[in-house]
Structure formats: C-alpha cells, structure tokens
Amino acid sequence: MTSLQDKMFADLKDKQVLELAKTRAFQFLDDVPTSNLFPTKDEIASARSLFEPMPKDGMAAIDVIDLMHERAAGAAVKAVGGRYFGFVTGGVLPVALAARWLTDAWDQNAPLFITSPVSTIFEEIVEIWMRDLFNLPEETVAGFVSGSSLAIFSGLSAGRYRLLKNQGWDINKQGLMGAPTLRVVAGRDAHATAIKAVSLLGLGTDNIEWVDVDDKGCIRTDLIPMLDDKTILLLQAGNVNGGGFDDFQSICASARAAGAWTHVDGAFGLWAAAARDYKHLIAGMENASSWSCDAHKTLNTPYDCGVILCSDKDALNSALHAAGSYLVQGEERDGMLFTPELSRRARAIEVWAALKFLGRKGVDELVSDLCARTMQFQQELNDAGFEMLIEPTFNQLLFACDTDEETERVCANVQASGECWVANANWKGRRAIRISVCSWATTVDDVTRSVTAFVNARDGNA
Ligand SMILES: Cc1ncc(COP(=O)(O)O)c(C=O)c1O
C-alpha cells in the first residue's frame, strides 16, 4: 500500500474528516438565520485568500475541510434560509439534503443500469410519480439532468429529431447542413436558456418567429402564426419575471393537430400541476410533446437537479443516443439515453426522497405555501405604497417605487441591510424589484420583516 493510500484508508476508517464535514455543515446551517445573506467584501476576500500556486505537498484531510469552512463558507450565498428571494432560487428540504449526502457516499455513476442499478430504479420510480403528479400522458419518460437549461436543450433536441425524421431526414447521421428547414416559434419573453438551446441546436436565434406577449409575459395566442409539422413551439409555464403561464388549453391541442412539436419550459411553474389550487394554470399542457422543470427550484432539492419529460421516448432516446463498445446497454433502462451526459450523479434519488417525504399532499402544501407567501408580499407591499408591476399568479412578483432611481436605491439598500435579498430586473421599460418565493423556509414573519426592510430602505431608515 502506498503512503497516500494509507492516509486515505485511515480517513475512511476513523471517519474524522467526514464527521468534521457534518459538524461544519450543521454550523453553517445554524448560522444562516443570523448571517449576511450575501457575503460581505471581507468574506469574499477571505475566500479569495485561498488563491495560491498549486501546492507541492498536500494537506491533511481534516485541515482541508476546516480551511474550506473557515475561509470560504462566508462567501457562500445563504439562500437556504427564508429571506432570500433572488432569481428563482429554491431552498433545500432537510430530507433531500440528507438523501444527497447519503447518495454522495454511494458515489454512483448513473449512465447505465450496469453502472448503477440503484439509480435506474429510482429514475423509473420518479418518472412514474412525476408523470402522475403532472398528469402527463402514460407514455411520458423522464431524464435527470443538471437543470432546466439542459432539460430544455434535451426537449428541443428530441423535437428537432422527430420533426426532421418525419421529413425523412436523420439529423444524427445527416446533420443540419442541407436539412429541411425547421421553424421555431417563441414568445418574446422566452427564457434566456430556451433561446440558448435554440442556438446550441443550430436552429439560429435569427430564425425565431417571435410572438408578442401580454403584461405577464405570456405568449399572445391570437398572434401565434400558423403552425405546421416543421415547427418547434416554445411555451412557458411561469415567466421568470411576469410569472405568467401561457394558455396551454388554447394552444397545445391545435399545435399537436398541426404536427408541431411543443416544448413547455416549466422550470419552476410546472409544479403548479401538483397543487390543487394552481393546477388550472397548466390545463391543456398535456398535449405538448416535452416539458422541462427543476427539482432544485420549487421542489427544494439541492442543486443541480433538473428533469426533462417527453412523451416521445423514441425521439428523446434517438436524439440523445450514444454508443460505444464499452457502453454495455441491456434490457433495463439506461439513464444516459434520456440525457445529454454520460457520467452523471444519481440525481433522481434526492427527487425521490423529497417526493416520498412530502407525498402528494405535501407537494401541494409546499407549492401552495410558496404562493401564499407571494400573495402576502403583494398585500403588504401594496399596503406600504409600493406599486405592483404584475399581479402575481404563482410565486413571482415584480414591484417598483415611483422612479427608476428610487427602485434602484431601495434594492441596493435592502441588499446592504442584509434583511433580505432581492435583485432588479427591467420590466416594460421600468426598473423593477423581483421577488421569487421559492424556499420552504420562508415564513409569514420573514415576509413581514422583508417588507419592513423595503419600507425602511425607501423612507431612509435603513
Ligand atoms: C422559466 C425558466 N426557464 C429556465 C430556467 C433555467 O433554469 P436552470 O438555471 O435550472 O438551468 C429558469 C431559471 O430561473 C427559469 O426561470
């Protein structure tokens, strides 16, 4: 045995380094409520102090973990608490974090049944559960990717494969050069990652047929051009700013009848399907061909955890197919055929843990609570004299002060106060403050405290 092996076997045996990581993780989590939500300059400088020439000699494992905690933990954004409302940042359910830890100890590689039977089994269970929760067609399959960016990419890859195959063109073999022209139709407020997928797939953003949107960022149904069997239609369940859901009922069935491929980007909003009071928002989306969502957003699993759902298994598998003599594919499900990646963590396990912990009722409650806190924000911000730029539909809210300058100032002051964390956005020519309630940990008091912070920031008390 080498001396390096000696050290590592000793670490594994005495568990000190693993115990230390647990202790430090608990310390971090315990400190979150009283920490700066966004790191201070000093905390960022502390993490930067880790820059050094690549060390010649290594360091003891426990010292590595301690160094990481002492110098770098401060530079982590404390989004796991209840007062972080930036971007669309999910919190983390304790059970999902624990499942992630356990799975990390298993260190599974998930491309094939033969590399990880346990991952395949959990992928199959979660596929059935999500299909059921979202009321998607029986033939819907799921792939477990890093997030919505890749999930959208996968859905559009399947669409590109299917539409070209229907024209007698095999994109995998023949490529894009000389291929029949595909159309892409999207609302003007399609998410940046959907547009990126269009460019990655060689469809060209200049070729997108843009459709105007309404005041919540929803595609104007009356303006959608005639669809056909060469069209990929991009829809959204939850606009990242306006929060709106496209009118799936009016669009999806007729798009399907026209032979178009409809992809629904439901990064956070697809979860509306699992909540009794919100599922009307996604009525009709079952007629789309593919859907993408994040477990790391609304479901509050740890990052990185996205899901592509597709009702055309053959198209998804063919678009994402990879073969090699050493990639032994068998009768069982091989996860790599459902994702662009080969090596992957066994992400489905933490999704399973979250769903198993919550049950159908718990998912409903989780989603409904996020929406209830958003509505509370709306009410209290209104009462405090802020202007709502959109009436929230789900968990996103946009508001502003009288002038753009004041909106900027309030946002910056609130960020500096450490009371809560929000970011700016542009909305219909105005500067706005975005609130996304995406953590199970946000309480009624957190919302009230945050609104007080906005008032103080505006009125000069911060
Ligand atoms: C509507 C929408 N689509 C796609 C994405 C991209 O998701 P991810 O960051 O998981 O790739 C987001 C992220 O906020 C989103 O809100």
Side-chain angles (χ1 to χ4, degrees), residues 88 147-150 152 191 193 236 238 240 265 267-268 294 296-297:
V88 189
S148 280
S149 304
L150 262 203
I152 297 168
H191 194 268
T193 54
Q236 275 188 95
V240 74
D265 166 12
F268 58 91
D294 281 321
H296 61 218
K297 291 192 169 71

Side-chain angles (χ1 to χ4, degrees), residues 162-194:
R162 173 55 65 222
L163 296 185
L164 288 176
K165 191 76 180 166
N166 288 347
Q167 312 285 322
W169 188 269
D170 184 333
I171 178 73
N172 291 346
K173 291 192 185 140
Q174 295 170 275
L176 268 183
M177 277 174 277
T181 304
L182 293 184
R183 299 168 58 206
V184 179
V185 173
R188 283 201 189 279
D189 240 19
H191 194 268
T193 54

Side-chain angles (χ1 to χ4, degrees), residues 58-372:
M59 184 186 236
I62 52 165
D63 294 335
V64 171
I65 296 303
D66 255 340
L67 188 65
M68 180 178 150
H69 177 77
E70 278 158 19
R71 299 257 203 104
V77 165
K78 315 299 181 303
V80 293
R83 286 176 288 110
Y84 186 89
F85 307 109
F87 308 96
V88 189
T89 307
V92 63
L93 300 174
V95 70
L97 177 59
R100 169 76 164 264
W101 284 352
L102 185 54
T103 318
D104 278 349
W106 297 352
D107 193 25
Q108 295 297 285
N109 188 13
L112 301 164
F113 180 79
I114 202 163
T115 58
S116 181
V118 71
S119 173
T120 292
I121 291 163
F122 279 107
E123 288 192 359
E124 284 174 340
I125 299 171
V126 175
E127 178 180 279
I128 296 167
W129 285 6
M130 288 187 75
R131 186 162 69 209
D132 189 26
L133 264 183
F134 295 164
N135 197 26
L136 295 176
E138 192 58 27
E139 60 277 16
T140 303
V141 293
F144 298 87
V145 291
S146 56
S148 280
S149 304
L150 262 203
I152 297 168
F153 173 83
S154 304
L156 299 195
S157 300
R160 186 183 67 166
Y161 176 87
R162 173 55 65 222
L163 296 185
L164 288 176
K165 191 76 180 166
N166 288 347
Q167 312 285 322
W169 188 269
D170 184 333
I171 178 73
N172 291 346
K173 291 192 185 140
Q174 295 170 275
L176 268 183
M177 277 174 277
T181 304
L182 293 184
R183 299 168 58 206
V184 179
V185 173
R188 283 201 189 279
D189 240 19
H191 194 268
T193 54
I195 299 166
K196 179 173 177 171
V198 169
S199 58
L200 284 174
L201 287 165
L203 299 169
T205 53
D206 277 0
N207 301 321
I208 297 177
E209 297 173 42
W210 295 107
V211 183
D212 281 344
V213 293
D214 68 12
D215 56 1
K216 285 191 173 174
C218 302
I219 197 164
R220 286 266 309 271
T221 308
D222 56 321
L223 297 180
I224 294 178
M226 188 80 85
L227 303 174
D228 58 25
D229 58 1
K230 296 188 187 70
T231 311
I232 292 176
L233 172 64
L234 258 168
L235 297 181
Q236 275 188 95
N239 177 284
V240 74
N241 288 320
F245 287 63
D246 290 339
D247 181 357
F248 306 114
Q249 197 78 279
S250 316
I251 306 171
C252 292
S254 51
R256 175 172 286 272
W261 180 283
T262 303
H263 178 84
V264 178
D265 166 12
F268 58 91
L270 211 65
W271 295 95
R276 207 186 41 201
D277 294 342
Y278 294 90
K279 65 175 173 214
H280 62 278
L281 294 170
I282 50 77
M285 77 157 183
E286 64 280 2
N287 284 310
S289 304
S290 54
W291 308 263
S292 46
C293 74
D294 281 321
H296 61 218
K297 291 192 169 71
T298 316
L299 188 62
N300 281 223
T301 66
Y303 282 86
D304 53 23
C305 207
V307 187
I308 171 66
L309 296 144
C310 181
S311 61
D312 185 339
K313 180 179 178 205
D314 179 56
L316 188 70
N317 288 172
S318 302
L320 303 176
H321 184 79
S325 62
Y326 80 108
L327 298 171
V328 187
Q329 289 165 19
E331 291 298 297
E332 304 278 357
R333 171 195 163 102
D334 290 315
M336 64 175 251
L337 298 179
F338 300 78
T339 69
E341 307 109 309
L342 184 69
S343 295
R344 233 169 4 107
R345 13 180 237 104
R347 312 186 161 94
I349 303 182
E350 67 230 35
V351 184
W352 172 84
L355 294 175
K356 179 76 177 159
F357 165 75
L358 293 166
R360 194 182 278 280
K361 273 195 194 156
V363 179
D364 185 337
E365 201 175 324
L366 172 71
V367 174
S368 304
D369 278 353
L370 300 179
C371 298

